[in-house]
Amino acid sequence: NAGVTQTPKFQVLKTGQSMTLQCAQDMNHEYMSWYRQDPGMGLRLIHYSVGAGITDQGEVPNGYNVSRSTTEDFPLRLLSAAPSQTSVYFCASSYSGLSGANVLTFGAGSRLTVL
Amino acid sequence: QQPVQSPQAVILREGEDAVINCSSSKALYSVHWYRQKHGEAPVFLMILLKGGEQKGHEKISASFNEKKQQSSLYLTASQLSYSGTYFCGTPRAGNMLTFGGGTRLMVKP
């Protein structure tokens, strides 16, 4: 099992460019999410999905777009990259747990630099 | 609202103990703990449930005080492999987690 696969691992963009971070999971998890990690800020939720065709905003959604057409894939689109979006991005998948929050399985991360 | 972790960083010698705290301003029903080693993805450690028992993982245990709205992670007889950043997470809408800012733990020989 590959778990959660993210591509690319590294990316450099110029301000204003657009790009898509890919995320795929093979665990048949219903939930998928995107977090960004910045020094001292922990992990902040960007967008999440509770199933195919259903997405919702997290804490820091501005400048990002998502869609979920299949259970397996959850791409994150940067519409017009800004230097403030320089960060490490983690995709995670999970299934519904009993504790009111799911146990997350993270991908290896994508390091994005916007010049 | 993001939970608050303290301390922000800890440096230990092998064999020493450490405590990492996680506090929330809102009522908690569960607290999740994750560890992230340098350059890697965060990995789930344990869940503390309201009214549940103290959980353990290796020589790492945790407690959850619902009244005080806080959880503490106890690392006993630290090993080099315990080095990394520890995050607590609290439930939010959509069965997702809101994470604290993290506590960097460095264990030296």
Side-chain angles (χ1 to χ4, degrees):
Chain A
N1 272 351
V4 180
T5 303
Q6 290 184 234
T7 55
K9 289 190 182 302
F10 302 95
Q11 183 72 48
V12 179
L13 292 177
K14 294 182 179 178
T15 297
Q17 288 185 316
S18 62
M19 75 155 300
T20 299
L21 298 176
Q22 301 291 344
C23 177
Q25 55 100 358
D26 62 0
M27 297 175 285
N28 203 30
H29 285 171
E30 50 192 309
Y31 295 80
M32 295 188 75
S33 52
W34 279 100
Y35 287 83
R36 60 176 288 174
Q37 183 173 28
D38 304 291
M41 306 282 293
L43 296 147
R44 292 182 294 168
L45 182 64
I46 305 172
H47 285 285
Y48 64 96
S49 169
V50 301
I54 306 170
T55 63
D56 207 344
Q57 296 181 349
E59 301 154 17
V60 288
N62 292 342
Y64 306 95
N65 201 358
V66 293
S67 60
R68 182 110 178 260
S69 56
T70 67
T71 300
E72 294 78 21
D73 300 300
F74 191 45
L76 179 72
R77 297 180 187 84
L78 280 72
L79 309 173
S80 177
S84 60
Q85 293 179 303
T86 293
S87 187
V88 180
Y89 292 84
F90 287 99
C91 178
S93 75
S94 57
Y95 58 89
S96 180
L98 299 175
S99 65
N102 303 339
V103 174
L104 305 175
T105 299
F106 286 92
S110 297
R111 183 176 293 274
L112 175 68
T113 301
V114 182
L115 304 175
Chain B
Q1 188 125 10
Q2 191 177 29
V4 177
Q5 289 184 233
S6 62
Q8 290 187 324
V10 184
I11 300 176
L12 299 173
R13 292 286 180 189
E14 253 186 313
E16 292 182 339
D17 302 338
V19 180
I20 300 172
N21 298 304
C22 174
S23 298
S24 175
S25 59
K26 62 177 185 177
L28 294 177
Y29 297 93
S30 66
V31 176
H32 297 224
W33 287 96
Y34 286 74
R35 177 171 66 197
Q36 182 181 32
K37 300 201 173 183
H38 182 69
E40 299 181 6
V43 174
F44 170 75
L45 284 177
M46 66 186 77
I47 297 176
L48 280 300
L49 303 175
K50 181 178 181 180
E53 297 177 357
Q54 183 168 323
K55 298 285 188 178
H57 174 81
E58 300 171 349
K59 289 185 181 178
I60 302 172
S61 62
S63 63
F64 179 28
N65 188 323
E66 302 101 85
K67 288 186 179 179
K68 292 186 178 180
Q69 296 167 191
Q70 67 183 32
S71 175
S72 296
L73 191 70
Y74 306 95
L75 296 98
T76 306
S78 298
Q79 305 169 14
L80 294 176
S81 62
Y82 286 2
S83 292
T85 302
Y86 290 77
F87 294 99
C88 68
T90 56
R92 54 149 287 149
N95 277 21
M96 293 291 118
L97 289 173
T98 299
F99 287 96
T103 297
R104 293 188 65 181
L105 178 74
M106 182 182 297
V107 181
K108 294 186 172 182

